[in-house]
Amino acid sequence: MFRIRLLLFLITLLFSSIAYAQVAGITISGLIKNKTNKMALFYVNVLARTEKDTAFVAGTITNEEGRFSLTGIKPGNYQLEFSLSGFRKQRQPLFVGSLSEFLEIPQIELEPDTNKETKIEEVVLTASKKNEISNQLDKKTYSVADNISQSGGSVLQSMQNLPGVTVQDGKVQLRGNDKVTVLIDGKQTALTGFGSQTGLDNIPASLIDRIEIINNPSSKYDANGNAGIINVIMKKNKQNGWNGKIGFTYGTGSLWERKENLPTIRPQYTFTPKINPSLSLNYRKNKVNLFLQADNLYTQTLNKNEFVTRTFDDGTVINSQLKRNRNTNFLTTKAGLDWNIDSQNSLTVSGMYGSEKIIDRGDQPFFNGDRSQRLRLWQFLEDELKTTIMGTASYQHKFKEAGHLLNVGFNYTFHREDEKYFYDNYLPASTGTDAFKLLSDEQVYDFNVDYIKPLKYGRLETGIKLRNRSIPTNMNFIPGANSVLDFNAGGWATYKELIPAVYANYIFETPKWEAELGVRLEYVKIQYDVNPNHPTYKSDSYNYMQPFPNLRLAYKLNDRNKFSIFYNRRVDRPNEVDIRIFPKYDDAEIIKVGNPELRPQFTNSVELGHKYNWDNGYLYSALYHRFANGTITRISSIVPESTLVYAVFQNAGKSYNSGLEMIWNQKVSKAYSFNINGNLYRNQIDAFSVTNLYPTPNSFSAEMQKAISGNVKFNNTFKFPNGFDAQLTAVYLAPDIIPQGKIGSRFSMDLGVKKSIQKGKGELFFNATDLLNTMVIKKQIQGIGFRYTSDDYYETQVIRLGYSYKF
């Protein structure tokens, strides 16, 4: 109770460092004709003046086709003025909102003036400052370069300090929910498991320009990811001539042992190196822009150091430690060209190659209750090589109206998983080795067409998308003496996915009201064929056609206050690894296996948001509620006469997630700003009963689980003289529920300092994550016939030193 009160107290203090997606000024365009003969009029003077005091804002003239564009216009109320010698001057009011970068006003018709002569007025062209903050409450954007305390790490590590984001068991959560879709440059890719979170801890942050958090996605995004979308935007430069950036980071972690090994196992990793060289090159001349980005992240990590006490209903107690030393090397290279064919047509072609090499060496001893006798020792070697090749082509046609676009894209992905596993089982009287080899070749074809039409008070977006995905998988299993897995655990399986989709989204804005209404219609066909000789599972398939609507309605009380209400319906489809029939050791006595009978989880969510601005800050708050059917969760159970735990994904029925998120950002002075983000939520999973089929049918029932949890993140940003910047971040995560149990509270602090050198072209930085070495994962799990507690002292404290140079 004290922790909840503490969390509530901290949330009332809320400050946060969110930079919302910025719109770099609005472009106003239109067409002017002669009212008498309907002919286009060129060289018409077009002026924009403020409505309040008629101050000049921008001006231009129409071209040979009678079209004009005014750029860099800030949101507000204006008067447009049209004049041409021999025609009557015309004025009309115009409201410019913040939701669309382009506005197309209705056709203007000027009347000939036969009564008097009209002088040609002088047109003054000026630049307008960019709009600093977009008030769309659906998306938040963070610059990776501004996250000093996590520079030089992975994408997953860069996300740990972002407001509203938590990282638990290597997975990203938004508002306490891990059903998050991860995109790279707005697309699902094999780098992150086509929407899942695979590999985020191995992708170098040096590849990334910014990260977008989208809590309420519109219909133009794929429908999966009920908790929201994280869009990772990669770096890309378009400056003229030769330019680029080189960088190098070195770090080390596991500076000391936080808890020593149990007897008779190999040492933990200490002083683990982290090496990250990076290179970005760009050449632009005339109509062609060439770009290259190459990054390599090599790390050694104490990836797991979990101490477990497992207690069975018959009174048996087993103590164990799971220690995993990990070596990872992730190489990513992206290259391509942008070709501006002419003023209205452009083509971008790019390719990406990624190679991820992971080697795990681990130990897990098992002792009796008082640790006087070692019952067994389990040692393993996991050798994985993941190779990704991607080819992308995108064509854009710009219509004559500014912002009127047609985009056509094609993506091809080949992704290979080549994995080898060796598990040595040392028992008092015998030794055995289980060996696995898994090969999976994934091919994905994506085709999309998107159309955007600006309107006077908003825009229309519509498009189609088609995906064809195939994943044949083969596993060869060679069991050793006393293997706990059945001899038929290997074999083959093929996953096939076909998803055509169509969407439409309409955005409307007036001085007081904003509305966004969209719907996405998806047809999904999944076929999973398995080896006919498999002892448990058979081939299975399903299909559905479902609408996924989205709605946002906003009211602007005044220039400082805005209220928004959101509604979304989304889906989480089981990925191929969730239904993969091949068992895999999670540890020596916990076996993970997929479930081909797993079905999609459908979620409805509503949210009420408010933003209040003042001169040096703002307060953002959101009340949200999600309710899901067919909740996907992993269920752990044991079978009769065995102490092995089998963890299988199941649809566990209904679940609910409700909460309050608040963000308060304040600039105190030029030298200092501070912020806190708080999230308080309630998770509930209704009572359910399921049957795990593997290895033999066994039933599991759970009572309703509910918990109140949350997190608080406190950021301090300092700007010192002589180009010094610093960041200090503190994160507190309250206790929370997890499938069949609870996870304890966690706390950490991060520190980062950077200095601009070499006349702004160079930069040095130093940072330390988990500065006080306080992050420990503590869990309590309750199953049928057993329970266990665990404390994981994995590597969290890392110090890094880096340098980069722009040229």
Side-chain angles (χ1 to χ4, degrees):
M1 192 66 185
F2 171 75
R3 288 172 175 170
I4 294 174
R5 289 175 178 172
L6 175 62
L7 189 61
L8 285 168
F9 171 74
L10 290 174
I11 284 181
T12 61
L13 301 177
L14 302 179
F15 302 82
S16 175
S17 59
I18 286 185
Y20 282 87
Q22 296 185 9
V23 177
I26 313 300
T27 297
I28 313 299
S29 61
L31 175 65
I32 302 179
K33 291 187 175 182
N34 187 324
K35 188 174 183 179
T36 302
N37 57 21
K38 307 303 180 183
M39 297 291 290
L41 294 176
F42 50 92
Y43 298 126
V44 177
N45 297 323
V46 182
L47 300 180
R49 301 182 186 274
T50 59
E51 182 183 62
K52 185 176 181 180
D53 54 12
T54 68
F56 175 82
V57 176
T60 187
I61 59 175
T62 57
N63 62 17
E64 294 82 357
E65 298 175 341
R67 298 206 59 82
F68 71 89
S69 292
L70 294 170
T71 60
I73 308 299
K74 292 182 179 182
N77 291 290
Y78 298 89
Q79 283 280 347
L80 289 183
E81 185 177 293
F82 310 97
S83 62
L84 179 65
S85 178
F87 289 82
R88 292 180 180 176
K89 182 182 292 186
Q90 186 170 321
R91 294 183 177 90
Q92 74 172 49
L94 176 67
F95 166 71
V96 178
S98 60
L99 298 185
S100 298
E101 293 185 60
F102 301 93
L103 294 180
E104 175 74 8
I105 68 173
Q107 180 176 297
I108 303 298
E109 295 184 347
L110 298 184
E111 294 186 56
D113 187 354
T114 58
N115 297 323
K116 62 178 181 178
E117 295 183 0
T118 305
K119 292 183 179 180
I120 298 177
E121 298 183 3
E122 179 184 9
V123 177
V124 181
L125 299 179
T126 62
S128 176
K129 292 183 179 180
K130 294 183 178 181
N131 186 25
E132 293 181 356
I133 296 179
S134 168
N135 286 322
Q136 302 174 59
L137 305 187
D138 61 337
K139 179 166 66 175
K140 303 177 275 286
T141 302
Y142 309 88
S143 169
V144 172
D146 292 338
N147 193 1
I148 309 171
S149 61
Q150 293 288 349
S151 295
S154 68
V155 172
L156 185 67
Q157 291 163 348
S158 292
M159 293 180 182
Q160 290 181 140
N161 290 343
L162 300 187
V165 179
T166 56
V167 177
Q168 184 169 294
D169 289 338
K171 300 194 73 174
V172 177
Q173 294 184 346
L174 292 177
R175 297 172 172 175
N177 190 323
D178 66 3
K179 296 297 186 289
V180 178
T181 294
V182 179
L183 308 179
I184 302 289
D185 290 336
K187 304 179 182 66
Q188 296 183 10
T189 75
L191 290 179
T192 57
F194 280 92
S196 68
Q197 304 183 29
T198 306
L200 282 177
D201 201 26
N202 299 320
I203 300 176
S206 53
L207 268 175
I208 308 306
D209 178 45
R210 62 191 186 276
I211 297 173
E212 297 177 342
I213 308 297
I214 308 171
N215 292 114
N216 296 281
S218 72
S219 62
K220 68 181 180 181
Y221 295 98
D222 289 342
N224 55 316
N226 77 69
I229 290 173
I230 294 179
N231 187 21
V232 179
I233 309 296
M234 301 183 75
K235 292 178 179 177
K236 186 178 179 181
N237 205 340
K238 288 190 175 183
Q239 298 180 28
N240 287 323
W242 282 103
N243 53 86
K245 183 177 182 180
I246 58 173
F248 182 82
T249 301
Y250 179 83
T252 186
S254 296
L255 303 180
W256 57 74
E257 287 189 1
R258 291 200 281 175
K259 187 167 183 176
E260 64 180 11
N261 284 340
L262 294 180
T264 71
I265 67 173
R266 295 170 292 188
Q268 303 174 19
Y269 265 170
T270 54
F271 291 95
T272 52
K274 329 283 180 185
I275 303 171
N276 177 208
S278 63
L279 171 67
S280 175
L281 286 175
N282 183 82
Y283 177 73
R284 184 178 183 181
K285 185 175 182 180
N286 300 326
K287 295 183 177 182
V288 176
N289 178 64
L290 302 173
F291 55 89
L292 169 70
Q293 178 78 32
D295 290 74
N296 193 81
L297 179 62
Y298 172 78
T299 64
Q300 292 183 12
T301 310
L302 180 58
N303 179 259
K304 194 86 170 177
N305 193 25
E306 184 178 21
F307 293 79
V308 175
T309 298
R310 188 174 301 149
T311 304
F312 296 87
D313 288 356
D314 63 3
T316 302
V317 176
I318 296 178
N319 292 298
S320 66
Q321 175 195 358
L322 176 57
K323 183 219 69 187
R324 182 163 58 219
N325 292 332
R326 171 167 289 183
N327 289 34
T328 302
N329 194 82
F330 192 96
L331 170 67
T332 307
T333 303
K334 182 180 180 180
L337 66 88
D338 302 309
W339 178 28
N340 296 316
I341 303 170
D342 54 38
S343 61
Q344 291 182 278
N345 298 279
S346 61
L347 178 68
T348 297
V349 179
S350 65
M352 176 183 288
Y353 171 81
S355 175
E356 181 182 359
K357 179 73 170 179
I358 302 175
I359 297 179
D360 287 337
R361 294 179 176 88
D363 304 76
Q364 188 174 23
F366 293 82
F367 289 82
N368 60 357
D370 60 6
R371 301 183 183 178
S372 62
Q373 180 184 3
R374 194 184 80 182
L375 307 176
R376 63 185 292 206
L377 173 63
W378 192 67
Q379 294 184 329
F380 60 90
L381 168 65
E382 299 182 1
D383 186 343
E384 305 179 32
L385 177 62
K386 299 180 180 180
T387 305
T388 303
I389 299 173
M390 296 175 56
T392 300
S394 59
Y395 164 77
Q396 183 179 83
H397 174 72
K398 297 179 180 179
F399 294 89
K400 294 177 181 179
E401 304 93 336
H404 190 185
L405 302 174
L406 176 68
N407 297 313
V408 181
F410 175 77
N411 297 279
Y412 168 76
T413 301
F414 172 81
H415 179 69
R416 167 169 287 182
E417 293 183 29
D418 187 352
E419 305 176 0
K420 305 178 186 68
Y421 305 90
F422 303 93
Y423 302 96
D424 295 325
N425 187 17
Y426 296 94
L427 295 170
S430 65
T431 301
T433 300
D434 285 353
F436 300 80
K437 178 175 173 57
L438 185 142
L439 185 66
S440 173
D441 285 343
E442 177 178 15
Q443 294 194 77
V444 185
Y445 300 86
D446 280 332
F447 175 76
N448 65 279
V449 178
D450 299 283
Y451 174 78
I452 303 171
K453 171 66 175 175
L455 305 171
K456 182 179 180 181
Y457 295 113
R459 68 183 182 274
L460 176 67
E461 304 170 333
T462 186
I464 60 173
K465 180 177 179 179
L466 176 65
R467 165 170 292 169
N468 192 337
R469 186 180 181 201
S470 176
I471 311 176
T473 304
N474 283 278
M475 190 180 82
N476 184 26
F477 173 49
I478 305 172
N482 302 306
S483 173
V484 299
L485 298 181
D486 60 87
F487 281 33
N488 297 316
W492 62 266
T494 300
Y495 174 90
K496 296 180 180 179
E497 174 183 290
L498 178 66
I499 307 179
V502 60
Y503 76 89
N505 200 44
Y506 174 63
I507 294 96
F508 175 77
E509 185 175 16
T510 70
K512 286 291 185 182
W513 291 94
E514 297 174 1
E516 182 174 356
L517 178 64
V519 64
R520 187 179 189 90
L521 185 65
E522 285 190 351
Y523 172 77
V524 174
K525 181 180 180 181
I526 305 295
Q527 177 70 38
Y528 191 61
D529 297 320
V530 305
N531 182 351
N533 298 323
H534 194 278
T536 302
Y537 294 120
K538 307 298 179 185
S539 295
D540 200 0
S541 65
Y542 66 87
N543 64 82
Y544 64 83
M545 179 178 286
Q546 293 275 351
F548 299 96
N550 68 277
L551 170 69
R552 184 176 81 91
L553 185 64
Y555 177 71
K556 305 171 192 175
L557 187 63
N558 50 46
D559 290 342
R560 296 186 181 273
N561 286 276
K562 177 191 280 189
F563 293 89
S564 289
I565 187 169
F566 299 87
Y567 167 75
N568 256 294
R569 182 175 188 263
R570 300 185 67 78
V571 64
D572 285 282
R573 296 182 295 271
N575 213 334
E576 185 268 340
V577 294
D578 299 333
I579 66 175
R580 187 177 284 180
I581 61 174
F582 309 119
K584 180 180 179 180
Y585 288 111
D586 190 45
D587 73 17
E589 296 193 352
I590 299 179
I591 311 299
K592 285 186 175 179
V593 66
N595 179 9
E597 295 182 346
L598 201 61
R599 292 297 181 260
Q601 166 184 318
F602 294 92
T603 303
N604 291 273
S605 63
V606 292
E607 178 177 323
L608 177 64
H610 171 251
K611 186 179 180 185
Y612 174 67
N613 296 284
W614 57 91
D615 292 341
N616 292 311
Y618 58 85
L619 175 67
Y620 165 79
S621 55
L623 283 169
Y624 57 89
H625 177 66
R626 304 187 191 102
F627 46 101
N629 287 316
T631 303
I632 296 175
T633 188
R634 194 182 286 276
I635 302 300
S636 297
S637 61
I638 59 176
V639 296
E641 300 179 358
S642 173
T643 60
L644 295 178
V645 177
Y646 292 90
V648 183
F649 274 118
Q650 292 282 5
N651 293 107
K654 295 183 178 181
S655 63
Y656 307 88
N657 171 239
S658 306
L660 168 66
E661 181 181 18
M662 298 185 72
I663 299 164
W664 190 355
N665 181 70
Q666 182 68 46
K667 181 179 179 181
V668 177
S669 67
K670 292 182 179 180
Y672 176 57
S673 61
F674 63 97
N675 46 75
I676 293 179
N677 161 235
N679 191 18
L680 178 68
Y681 57 85
R682 180 182 183 273
N683 282 337
Q684 176 179 320
I685 302 176
D686 283 354
F688 64 92
S689 295
V690 296
T691 299
N692 284 346
L693 298 180
Y694 191 89
T696 59
N698 62 94
S699 297
F700 175 83
S701 297
E703 300 296 326
M704 182 182 71
Q705 293 185 79
K706 58 183 178 180
I708 295 176
S709 186
N711 55 76
V712 176
K713 298 187 179 181
F714 180 67
N715 268 309
N716 297 269
T717 303
F718 305 88
K719 291 186 176 296
F720 300 107
N722 301 320
F724 273 103
D725 293 337
Q727 181 185 22
L728 178 66
T729 303
V731 179
Y732 171 75
L733 307 177
D736 201 356
I737 60 172
I738 56 177
Q740 295 178 255
K742 296 180 179 180
I743 186 169
S745 62
R746 289 141 287 162
F747 173 77
S748 66
M749 291 183 63
D750 299 335
L751 172 68
V753 180
K754 69 177 181 180
K755 176 173 171 45
S756 178
I757 58 176
Q758 297 170 300
K759 298 180 179 180
K761 291 187 175 182
E763 183 177 275
L764 281 170
F765 74 84
F766 170 82
N767 60 37
T769 60
D770 195 13
L771 187 64
L772 305 179
N773 218 12
T774 53
M775 182 66 75
V776 179
I777 307 298
K778 298 186 177 184
K779 297 179 184 178
Q780 297 179 4
I781 302 296
Q782 179 66 56
I784 292 183
F786 73 98
R787 67 183 186 276
Y788 76 79
T789 60
S790 74
D791 296 340
D792 190 356
Y793 296 88
Y794 69 109
E795 175 188 302
T796 57
Q797 188 180 66
V798 178
I799 59 173
R800 297 184 182 90
L801 179 66
Y803 167 77
S804 63
Y805 180 78
K806 297 178 182 178
F807 56 90

